[in-house]
Amino acid sequence: MDMRSEARISKLMIDHDLEKNGDKFQIYPIYTSEFLVPLKIGTPTVPQILIMDTGSLLLWVHCGPTIGGEGSPGRTEGNLASEVVTFDSRNGTEVTIKRLMFGCSSIYSKGADRCSGVLGLGQRAISLVSQLNYTGFSYCIGNINDRNYDSNTLVLGGEPIIIAASTPMFMLIGKYYITLEKINVGDKFLDIDPNIFKRVDYQGGMLVDSGAPSTYLMWHSIN
């Protein structure tokens, strides 16, 4: 999607009745590598289970018969649509969004075969957070091995309360990054120049991606 498309979509944003102090939704860890968020789309509503993904910009779901067999949770093809989207909040009420723009995927994504699609939490005009004019979001995984643990929560809006050590983050092209300083093996630090880990000229850096199953580094050789 190009910047002109995003600009047009930004003009379609609508008013909503969500409280500005934050709406809380249950997160369900699964296979200790993915975090799922239930919601409903349409009238009458159709239940969906989406992967929570800070590395994606779009909320999208599978729609109709598939026409392919390749892809990943954060990469798909299809059409943009708008529909009523309903979340079940942690206080037992429903939060309804009257016309939310989302992706209607026509290609099956192998990485999302246990759910309906992806809940992108990036910071572009098309993302859920931006469409609802939230200043931010936060999430807490209290127990990664217990899908029903009460503290496994996604909070849209509001002000997060930090009660432990924190790491600075920065946003670039709608995604979230941290700066890796160094790596140690056992009690020894590896002899690596810290500048290698920095994002320079739109390359490198360490992406924060809740939709990725593991932490990994990509090394590029320069010929």
Side-chain angles (χ1 to χ4, degrees), residues 11 25 35 123:
K11 294 181 180 180
F25 311 106
F35 307 117
Q123 202 66 26

Side-chain angles (χ1 to χ4, degrees), residues 8 23-24 41 60 79 111 130 149 151 172-173 203 209:
R8 287 195 294 267
D23 295 288
K24 302 178 178 64
I41 294 180
W60 64 262
N79 299 305
S130 296
Y149 191 71
S151 294
L172 188 64
I173 317 180
Q203 296 184 9
D209 187 357

Side-chain angles (χ1 to χ4, degrees), residues 39-213:
L39 53 82
K40 290 171 273 191
I41 294 180
T43 305
T45 59
V46 178
Q48 311 283 347
I49 301 291
L50 307 185
I51 297 175
M52 185 184 74
D53 189 3
T54 59
S56 295
L57 302 176
L58 179 67
L59 186 160
W60 64 262
V61 297
H62 295 300
C63 298
T66 59
I67 59 174
E70 298 298 329
S72 64
R75 187 178 183 86
T76 188
E77 295 180 12
N79 299 305
L80 280 176
S82 68
E83 195 37 285
V84 175
V85 176
T86 303
F87 290 88
D88 291 324
S89 69
R90 293 299 304 271
N91 63 12
T93 62
E94 289 187 338
V95 175
T96 299
I97 306 162
K98 294 182 179 179
R99 292 194 303 275
L100 183 74
M101 300 292 295
F102 69 100
C104 193
S105 173
S106 57
I107 293 184
Y108 173 75
S109 294
K110 187 184 299 182
D113 57 0
R114 295 184 298 271
C115 64
S116 308
V118 166
L119 177 63
L121 291 172
Q123 202 66 26
R124 284 289 187 93
I126 188 59
S127 75
L128 172 69
V129 176
S130 296
Q131 286 192 62
L132 300 182
N133 295 320
Y134 283 122
T135 56
F137 69 92
S138 57
Y139 63 92
C140 174
I141 310 298
N143 188 338
I144 199 172
N145 295 311
D146 184 358
R147 60 179 301 176
N148 295 313
Y149 191 71
D150 287 343
S151 294
N152 296 335
T153 304
L154 169 66
V155 182
L156 299 178
E159 296 292 333
I161 299 174
I162 300 175
I163 59 176
S166 61
T167 299
M169 299 174 61
F170 63 95
M171 290 186 297
L172 188 64
I173 317 180
K175 298 185 179 182
Y176 311 102
Y177 291 84
I178 59 175
T179 300
L180 180 64
E181 296 289 345
K182 47 192 171 183
I183 300 174
N184 67 291
V185 177
D187 58 354
K188 294 183 178 180
F189 287 103
L190 301 182
D191 185 17
I192 301 175
D193 184 349
N195 290 320
I196 292 177
F197 301 124
K198 294 181 179 179
R199 185 167 178 84
V200 179
D201 295 331
Y202 297 96
Q203 296 184 9
M206 194 159 191
L207 178 69
V208 178
D209 187 357
S210 65

